[in-house]
């Protein structure tokens, strides 16, 4: 299955919520969801009330689209979370947060997860001094995520070094001067500021 390449604004409208897939544009008046917050399609206003299965499916699709992962990947995260100690839904969100592309986004190195994924694949980052170009790589406690020296002069990264970032979650630490971030702890449910009803996803896969 190929990655979705259509308009990401349609995805927000389909899920009935802002998924913040286009970075700063999602916070501006240009956001398509602000102009037309209804599902795409000519019969959007006349759709029937969702079933319990439909509600669970939409929550799963919303979460999958927020983090930009394919269905097969998402299912693997659920299966990994099931084998871990603790609450399955919270474990799954913690795994998604630990993806390298998400960590790059959370540190403020990219405006969106899609941009972070692209920059990781282009080889702009290292983990503990070693090349890291796999977006799905999971970070561990005490890992240091840095921008390669050869990439630090890129305009986006230079602006970050000068202006800093104020939205870094507490499980991460950002060193603006050196353009590096450190994983202080594994993310807990209270550290994840996305509105997700993870129990619905667990119910969907447990059917």
């Amino acid at each position: 299955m190929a990655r979705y390449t259509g308009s990401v604004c349609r995805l927000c409208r389909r899920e009935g919520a802002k998924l913040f897939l286009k970075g700063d544009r999602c916070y501006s008046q240009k956001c398509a969801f602000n102009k037309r917050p209804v599902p795409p399609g000519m019969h959007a206003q006349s759709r029937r009330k969702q079933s319990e299965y439909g509600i669970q499916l939409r929550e799963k699709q919303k979460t999958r689209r927020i983090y930009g992962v394919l269905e097969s990947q998402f299912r693997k995260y659920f299966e990994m979370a099931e084998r871990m100690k603790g609450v399955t839904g919270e474990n799954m969100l913690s795994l998604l947060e630990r993806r390298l592309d998400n960590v790059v986004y959370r540190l403020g190195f990219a405006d969106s997860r899609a941009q972070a994924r692209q920059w990781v694949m282009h080889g702009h980052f290292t983990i503990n001094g070693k090349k890291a170009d796999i977006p799905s790589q999971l970070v561990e406690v005490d890992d240091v995520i840095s921008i390669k020296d050869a990439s630090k002069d890129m305009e986006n990264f230079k602006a970050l070094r000068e202006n800093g970032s104020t939205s870094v979650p507490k499980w991460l630490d950002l060193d603006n001067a050196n353009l590096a971030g450190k994983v202080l702890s594994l993310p807990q449910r209270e550290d994840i500021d996305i509105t997700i009803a993870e129990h619905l996803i667990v119910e969907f896969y447990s059917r």
Side-chain angles (χ1 to χ4, degrees), residues 78-109:
F78 173 77
E79 292 171 352
M80 289 173 62
E82 272 192 315
R83 296 192 294 269
M84 295 166 61
K85 293 182 179 180
V87 182
T88 299
E90 295 181 3
N91 290 339
M92 182 181 62
L93 291 182
S94 179
L95 289 170
L96 290 166
E97 282 288 307
R98 288 169 55 199
R99 283 175 55 99
L100 178 56
D101 55 358
N102 180 76
V103 173
V104 167
Y105 166 69
R106 290 292 195 184
L107 287 170
F109 293 154

mmCIF file of all heavy atoms in Angstrom, residues 78-109:
data_model
loop_
_atom_site.group_PDB
_atom_site.id
_atom_site.type_symbol
_atom_site.label_atom_id
_atom_site.label_comp_id
_atom_site.label_asym_id
_atom_site.label_seq_id
_atom_site.Cartn_x
_atom_site.Cartn_y
_atom_site.Cartn_z
ATOM 1 N N PHE A 78 0.204 -1.637 17.915
ATOM 2 C CA PHE A 78 -0.817 -2.154 18.834
ATOM 3 C C PHE A 78 -0.385 -3.502 19.402
ATOM 4 O O PHE A 78 -0.507 -3.748 20.609
ATOM 5 C CB PHE A 78 -2.157 -2.289 18.109
ATOM 6 C CG PHE A 78 -3.217 -2.971 18.925
ATOM 7 C CD1 PHE A 78 -3.873 -2.294 19.944
ATOM 8 C CD2 PHE A 78 -3.541 -4.309 18.707
ATOM 9 C CE1 PHE A 78 -4.831 -2.923 20.719
ATOM 10 C CE2 PHE A 78 -4.504 -4.943 19.470
ATOM 11 C CZ PHE A 78 -5.155 -4.249 20.477
ATOM 12 N N GLU A 79 0.140 -4.371 18.545
ATOM 13 C CA GLU A 79 0.569 -5.694 18.999
ATOM 14 C C GLU A 79 1.742 -5.586 19.959
ATOM 15 O O GLU A 79 1.833 -6.345 20.932
ATOM 16 C CB GLU A 79 0.923 -6.557 17.786
ATOM 17 C CG GLU A 79 -0.290 -6.906 16.931
ATOM 18 C CD GLU A 79 0.078 -7.568 15.621
ATOM 19 O OE1 GLU A 79 1.289 -7.632 15.289
ATOM 20 O OE2 GLU A 79 -0.833 -8.037 14.913
ATOM 21 N N MET A 80 2.658 -4.654 19.701
ATOM 22 C CA MET A 80 3.769 -4.422 20.635
ATOM 23 C C MET A 80 3.239 -3.928 21.977
ATOM 24 O O MET A 80 3.699 -4.375 23.040
ATOM 25 C CB MET A 80 4.734 -3.393 20.054
ATOM 26 C CG MET A 80 5.557 -3.870 18.880
ATOM 27 S SD MET A 80 6.520 -2.517 18.116
ATOM 28 C CE MET A 80 7.589 -2.030 19.492
ATOM 29 N N ALA A 81 2.274 -3.016 21.935
ATOM 30 C CA ALA A 81 1.706 -2.447 23.157
ATOM 31 C C ALA A 81 0.999 -3.505 23.986
ATOM 32 O O ALA A 81 1.030 -3.469 25.223
ATOM 33 C CB ALA A 81 0.738 -1.322 22.798
ATOM 34 N N GLU A 82 0.345 -4.469 23.311
ATOM 35 C CA GLU A 82 -0.346 -5.554 24.013
ATOM 36 C C GLU A 82 0.620 -6.403 24.831
ATOM 37 O O GLU A 82 0.257 -6.915 25.898
ATOM 38 C CB GLU A 82 -1.070 -6.453 22.999
ATOM 39 C CG GLU A 82 -2.467 -6.012 22.650
ATOM 40 C CD GLU A 82 -3.201 -7.095 21.898
ATOM 41 O OE1 GLU A 82 -2.618 -7.694 20.976
ATOM 42 O OE2 GLU A 82 -4.381 -7.345 22.218
ATOM 43 N N ARG A 83 1.847 -6.573 24.313
ATOM 44 C CA ARG A 83 2.827 -7.428 24.984
ATOM 45 C C ARG A 83 3.553 -6.710 26.124
ATOM 46 O O ARG A 83 4.263 -7.338 26.909
ATOM 47 C CB ARG A 83 3.845 -7.952 23.966
ATOM 48 C CG ARG A 83 3.252 -8.850 22.895
ATOM 49 C CD ARG A 83 4.348 -9.549 22.103
ATOM 50 N NE ARG A 83 5.138 -8.614 21.316
ATOM 51 C CZ ARG A 83 4.861 -8.278 20.054
ATOM 52 N NH1 ARG A 83 3.800 -8.793 19.450
ATOM 53 N NH2 ARG A 83 5.634 -7.434 19.400
ATOM 54 N N MET A 84 3.389 -5.395 26.214
ATOM 55 C CA MET A 84 4.050 -4.618 27.252
ATOM 56 C C MET A 84 3.213 -4.594 28.531
ATOM 57 O O MET A 84 1.997 -4.796 28.496
ATOM 58 C CB MET A 84 4.277 -3.182 26.754
ATOM 59 C CG MET A 84 5.223 -3.081 25.580
ATOM 60 S SD MET A 84 5.169 -1.449 24.769
ATOM 61 C CE MET A 84 5.679 -0.373 26.116
ATOM 62 N N LYS A 85 3.864 -4.345 29.655
ATOM 63 C CA LYS A 85 3.140 -4.183 30.903
ATOM 64 C C LYS A 85 2.414 -2.844 30.903
ATOM 65 O O LYS A 85 2.891 -1.870 30.322
ATOM 66 C CB LYS A 85 4.105 -4.240 32.084
ATOM 67 C CG LYS A 85 4.746 -5.592 32.304
ATOM 68 C CD LYS A 85 5.651 -5.581 33.528
ATOM 69 C CE LYS A 85 6.283 -6.953 33.762
ATOM 70 N NZ LYS A 85 7.173 -6.949 34.952
ATOM 71 N N GLY A 86 1.273 -2.782 31.575
ATOM 72 C CA GLY A 86 0.538 -1.526 31.647
ATOM 73 C C GLY A 86 -0.697 -1.535 30.771
ATOM 74 O O GLY A 86 -1.179 -2.579 30.321
ATOM 75 N N VAL A 87 -1.220 -0.337 30.524
ATOM 76 C CA VAL A 87 -2.454 -0.164 29.749
ATOM 77 C C VAL A 87 -2.111 -0.158 28.266
ATOM 78 O O VAL A 87 -1.271 0.639 27.816
ATOM 79 C CB VAL A 87 -3.161 1.159 30.141
ATOM 80 C CG1 VAL A 87 -4.461 1.309 29.361
ATOM 81 C CG2 VAL A 87 -3.424 1.190 31.642
ATOM 82 N N THR A 88 -2.757 -1.014 27.494
ATOM 83 C CA THR A 88 -2.412 -1.196 26.083
ATOM 84 C C THR A 88 -2.512 0.105 25.290
ATOM 85 O O THR A 88 -1.603 0.454 24.526
ATOM 86 C CB THR A 88 -3.320 -2.259 25.440
ATOM 87 O OG1 THR A 88 -3.123 -3.510 26.112
ATOM 88 C CG2 THR A 88 -2.992 -2.432 23.962
ATOM 89 N N GLY A 89 -3.592 0.844 25.453
ATOM 90 C CA GLY A 89 -3.791 2.075 24.695
ATOM 91 C C GLY A 89 -2.716 3.110 24.996
ATOM 92 O O GLY A 89 -2.200 3.764 24.080
ATOM 93 N N GLU A 90 -2.378 3.261 26.250
ATOM 94 C CA GLU A 90 -1.340 4.222 26.642
ATOM 95 C C GLU A 90 0.033 3.770 26.150
ATOM 96 O O GLU A 90 0.853 4.594 25.729
ATOM 97 C CB GLU A 90 -1.344 4.400 28.162
ATOM 98 C CG GLU A 90 -2.637 5.025 28.692
ATOM 99 C CD GLU A 90 -2.624 5.223 30.195
ATOM 100 O OE1 GLU A 90 -1.569 4.928 30.821
ATOM 101 O OE2 GLU A 90 -3.646 5.662 30.741
ATOM 102 N N ASN A 91 0.284 2.465 26.205
ATOM 103 C CA ASN A 91 1.543 1.930 25.686
ATOM 104 C C ASN A 91 1.685 2.228 24.194
ATOM 105 O O ASN A 91 2.772 2.587 23.713
ATOM 106 C CB ASN A 91 1.620 0.420 25.902
ATOM 107 C CG ASN A 91 1.777 0.043 27.369
ATOM 108 O OD1 ASN A 91 2.204 0.857 28.178
ATOM 109 N ND2 ASN A 91 1.441 -1.180 27.694
ATOM 110 N N MET A 92 0.596 2.082 23.459
ATOM 111 C CA MET A 92 0.623 2.308 22.013
ATOM 112 C C MET A 92 0.937 3.765 21.697
ATOM 113 O O MET A 92 1.761 4.057 20.822
ATOM 114 C CB MET A 92 -0.717 1.917 21.393
ATOM 115 C CG MET A 92 -0.765 2.064 19.879
ATOM 116 S SD MET A 92 -2.374 1.629 19.211
ATOM 117 C CE MET A 92 -3.398 2.867 19.999
ATOM 118 N N LEU A 93 0.321 4.699 22.408
ATOM 119 C CA LEU A 93 0.592 6.118 22.185
ATOM 120 C C LEU A 93 2.037 6.459 22.548
ATOM 121 O O LEU A 93 2.682 7.263 21.872
ATOM 122 C CB LEU A 93 -0.374 6.977 23.008
ATOM 123 C CG LEU A 93 -1.844 6.958 22.576
ATOM 124 C CD1 LEU A 93 -2.660 7.909 23.455
ATOM 125 C CD2 LEU A 93 -1.994 7.345 21.113
ATOM 126 N N SER A 94 2.556 5.835 23.591
ATOM 127 C CA SER A 94 3.943 6.073 23.984
ATOM 128 C C SER A 94 4.899 5.606 22.886
ATOM 129 O O SER A 94 5.881 6.289 22.574
ATOM 130 C CB SER A 94 4.258 5.343 25.295
ATOM 131 O OG SER A 94 5.603 5.547 25.681
ATOM 132 N N LEU A 95 4.607 4.471 22.267
ATOM 133 C CA LEU A 95 5.434 3.967 21.172
ATOM 134 C C LEU A 95 5.395 4.911 19.981
ATOM 135 O O LEU A 95 6.429 5.198 19.362
ATOM 136 C CB LEU A 95 4.946 2.573 20.753
ATOM 137 C CG LEU A 95 5.224 1.427 21.727
ATOM 138 C CD1 LEU A 95 4.479 0.170 21.291
ATOM 139 C CD2 LEU A 95 6.717 1.142 21.821
ATOM 140 N N LEU A 96 4.214 5.419 19.666
ATOM 141 C CA LEU A 96 4.079 6.353 18.546
ATOM 142 C C LEU A 96 4.848 7.648 18.814
ATOM 143 O O LEU A 96 5.481 8.207 17.917
ATOM 144 C CB LEU A 96 2.602 6.655 18.292
ATOM 145 C CG LEU A 96 1.772 5.505 17.705
ATOM 146 C CD1 LEU A 96 0.279 5.814 17.814
ATOM 147 C CD2 LEU A 96 2.150 5.251 16.249
ATOM 148 N N GLU A 97 4.805 8.112 20.056
ATOM 149 C CA GLU A 97 5.521 9.335 20.418
ATOM 150 C C GLU A 97 7.030 9.140 20.327
ATOM 151 O O GLU A 97 7.765 10.090 20.058
ATOM 152 C CB GLU A 97 5.149 9.765 21.840
ATOM 153 C CG GLU A 97 3.813 10.459 21.956
ATOM 154 C CD GLU A 97 3.840 11.861 21.378
ATOM 155 O OE1 GLU A 97 4.713 12.657 21.758
ATOM 156 O OE2 GLU A 97 2.985 12.163 20.532
ATOM 157 N N ARG A 98 7.493 7.935 20.517
ATOM 158 C CA ARG A 98 8.930 7.656 20.517
ATOM 159 C C ARG A 98 9.505 7.472 19.115
ATOM 160 O O ARG A 98 10.720 7.309 18.972
ATOM 161 C CB ARG A 98 9.216 6.412 21.359
ATOM 162 C CG ARG A 98 9.064 6.630 22.853
ATOM 163 C CD ARG A 98 9.095 5.302 23.597
ATOM 164 N NE ARG A 98 10.304 4.542 23.287
ATOM 165 C CZ ARG A 98 10.410 3.228 23.506
ATOM 166 N NH1 ARG A 98 9.378 2.551 24.012
ATOM 167 N NH2 ARG A 98 11.529 2.596 23.194
ATOM 168 N N ARG A 99 8.686 7.508 18.106
ATOM 169 C CA ARG A 99 9.197 7.457 16.736
ATOM 170 C C ARG A 99 10.134 8.637 16.488
ATOM 171 O O ARG A 99 9.861 9.758 16.943
ATOM 172 C CB ARG A 99 8.043 7.496 15.731
ATOM 173 C CG ARG A 99 7.278 6.199 15.564
ATOM 174 C CD ARG A 99 6.081 6.420 14.637
ATOM 175 N NE ARG A 99 6.495 6.985 13.342
ATOM 176 C CZ ARG A 99 6.673 6.264 12.235
ATOM 177 N NH1 ARG A 99 6.496 4.951 12.261
ATOM 178 N NH2 ARG A 99 7.018 6.851 11.102
ATOM 179 N N LEU A 100 11.198 8.404 15.766
ATOM 180 C CA LEU A 100 12.177 9.459 15.535
ATOM 181 C C LEU A 100 11.571 10.656 14.826
ATOM 182 O O LEU A 100 11.854 11.807 15.202
ATOM 183 C CB LEU A 100 13.354 8.919 14.714
ATOM 184 C CG LEU A 100 14.449 9.927 14.342
ATOM 185 C CD1 LEU A 100 15.023 10.605 15.580
ATOM 186 C CD2 LEU A 100 15.545 9.252 13.537
ATOM 187 N N ASP A 101 10.709 10.422 13.825
ATOM 188 C CA ASP A 101 10.118 11.577 13.128
ATOM 189 C C ASP A 101 9.245 12.399 14.057
ATOM 190 O O ASP A 101 9.231 13.637 13.989
ATOM 191 C CB ASP A 101 9.343 11.138 11.879
ATOM 192 C CG ASP A 101 8.265 10.106 12.149
ATOM 193 O OD1 ASP A 101 8.109 9.665 13.307
ATOM 194 O OD2 ASP A 101 7.578 9.702 11.182
ATOM 195 N N ASN A 102 8.540 11.744 14.986
ATOM 196 C CA ASN A 102 7.720 12.489 15.940
ATOM 197 C C ASN A 102 8.591 13.270 16.925
ATOM 198 O O ASN A 102 8.271 14.406 17.284
ATOM 199 C CB ASN A 102 6.801 11.545 16.712
ATOM 200 C CG ASN A 102 5.929 12.275 17.718
ATOM 201 O OD1 ASN A 102 4.953 12.926 17.384
ATOM 202 N ND2 ASN A 102 6.305 12.193 19.000
ATOM 203 N N VAL A 103 9.696 12.668 17.363
ATOM 204 C CA VAL A 103 10.597 13.343 18.302
ATOM 205 C C VAL A 103 11.216 14.577 17.646
ATOM 206 O O VAL A 103 11.326 15.643 18.272
ATOM 207 C CB VAL A 103 11.691 12.377 18.802
ATOM 208 C CG1 VAL A 103 12.721 13.119 19.644
ATOM 209 C CG2 VAL A 103 11.068 11.251 19.613
ATOM 210 N N VAL A 104 11.611 14.449 16.382
ATOM 211 C CA VAL A 104 12.142 15.597 15.638
ATOM 212 C C VAL A 104 11.105 16.716 15.584
ATOM 213 O O VAL A 104 11.427 17.896 15.785
ATOM 214 C CB VAL A 104 12.560 15.173 14.216
ATOM 215 C CG1 VAL A 104 12.803 16.386 13.322
ATOM 216 C CG2 VAL A 104 13.809 14.304 14.274
ATOM 217 N N TYR A 105 9.848 16.348 15.365
ATOM 218 C CA TYR A 105 8.761 17.336 15.335
ATOM 219 C C TYR A 105 8.541 17.936 16.722
ATOM 220 O O TYR A 105 8.393 19.164 16.869
ATOM 221 C CB TYR A 105 7.481 16.661 14.841
ATOM 222 C CG TYR A 105 6.225 17.452 15.058
ATOM 223 C CD1 TYR A 105 5.977 18.624 14.349
ATOM 224 C CD2 TYR A 105 5.267 17.032 15.989
ATOM 225 C CE1 TYR A 105 4.820 19.357 14.553
ATOM 226 C CE2 TYR A 105 4.106 17.755 16.195
ATOM 227 C CZ TYR A 105 3.889 18.921 15.480
ATOM 228 O OH TYR A 105 2.744 19.641 15.701
ATOM 229 N N ARG A 106 8.523 17.109 17.739
ATOM 230 C CA ARG A 106 8.290 17.582 19.108
ATOM 231 C C ARG A 106 9.395 18.526 19.592
ATOM 232 O O ARG A 106 9.148 19.438 20.384
ATOM 233 C CB ARG A 106 8.174 16.401 20.064
ATOM 234 C CG ARG A 106 6.924 15.556 19.905
ATOM 235 C CD ARG A 106 5.700 16.304 20.300
ATOM 236 N NE ARG A 106 4.551 15.433 20.491
ATOM 237 C CZ ARG A 106 3.330 15.868 20.770
ATOM 238 N NH1 ARG A 106 3.112 17.183 20.892
ATOM 239 N NH2 ARG A 106 2.325 15.038 20.934
ATOM 240 N N LEU A 107 10.604 18.310 19.111
ATOM 241 C CA LEU A 107 11.721 19.175 19.500
ATOM 242 C C LEU A 107 11.694 20.507 18.765
ATOM 243 O O LEU A 107 12.464 21.415 19.085
ATOM 244 C CB LEU A 107 13.053 18.470 19.230
ATOM 245 C CG LEU A 107 13.418 17.323 20.183
ATOM 246 C CD1 LEU A 107 14.619 16.555 19.650
ATOM 247 C CD2 LEU A 107 13.696 17.857 21.587
ATOM 248 N N GLY A 108 10.813 20.627 17.784
ATOM 249 C CA GLY A 108 10.699 21.872 17.040
ATOM 250 C C GLY A 108 11.646 21.970 15.858
ATOM 251 O O GLY A 108 11.785 23.032 15.255
ATOM 252 N N PHE A 109 12.279 20.845 15.485
ATOM 253 C CA PHE A 109 13.188 20.848 14.346
ATOM 254 C C PHE A 109 12.432 20.865 13.013
ATOM 255 O O PHE A 109 13.034 21.116 11.971
ATOM 256 C CB PHE A 109 14.108 19.619 14.392
ATOM 257 C CG PHE A 109 15.073 19.622 15.538
ATOM 258 C CD1 PHE A 109 15.580 18.435 16.041
ATOM 259 C CD2 PHE A 109 15.498 20.809 16.124
ATOM 260 C CE1 PHE A 109 16.485 18.425 17.091
ATOM 261 C CE2 PHE A 109 16.396 20.813 17.183
ATOM 262 C CZ PHE A 109 16.885 19.617 17.666
#
